[in-house]
């Protein structure tokens, strides 16, 4: 049986902020480093999670 995780937009924004704090980078810094493959495996996982969160938040990726 599959499970569905439900989050409010506020919870998604909080998760996004916590992930960025965890890697000690802004959204722009992490995006740029991921673009040139200058990230650790953990940072790349965080970046992919943030991309998913941004997609769920209607693609608003300009929040830092």
């Amino acid at each position: 049986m599959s499970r569905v995780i439900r989050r409010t937009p506020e919870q998604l924004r909080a998760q996004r902020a916590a992930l960025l704090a965890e890697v000690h980078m802004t959204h722009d810094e992490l995006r740029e480093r991921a673009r040139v493959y200058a990230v650790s495996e953990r940072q790349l996982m965080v970046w992919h999670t943030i991309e998913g969160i941004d997609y769920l938040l209607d693609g608003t990726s300009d929040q830092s």
Side-chain angles (χ1 to χ4, degrees):
M1 179 182 292
S2 51
R3 296 178 185 204
V4 175
I5 298 172
R6 297 184 190 274
R7 296 246 165 41
T8 65
E10 293 79 21
Q11 290 170 318
L12 288 171
R13 287 185 193 96
Q15 180 183 5
R16 186 181 187 279
L19 288 167
L20 288 169
E22 178 185 317
V23 296
H24 307 288
M25 287 186 231
T26 66
H27 179 270
D28 291 340
E29 291 170 325
L30 184 57
R31 179 185 61 222
E32 181 59 23
R33 288 187 63 182
R35 186 183 70 78
V36 296
Y37 303 101
V39 289
S40 68
E41 183 178 349
R42 176 64 185 147
Q43 290 166 335
L44 185 59
M45 289 173 49
V46 166
W47 174 244
H48 288 306
T49 301
I50 287 174
E51 285 183 311
I53 290 171
D54 288 346
Y55 175 80
L56 292 172
L57 291 170
D58 296 323
T60 54
S61 61
D62 58 344
Q63 305 168 17
S64 293

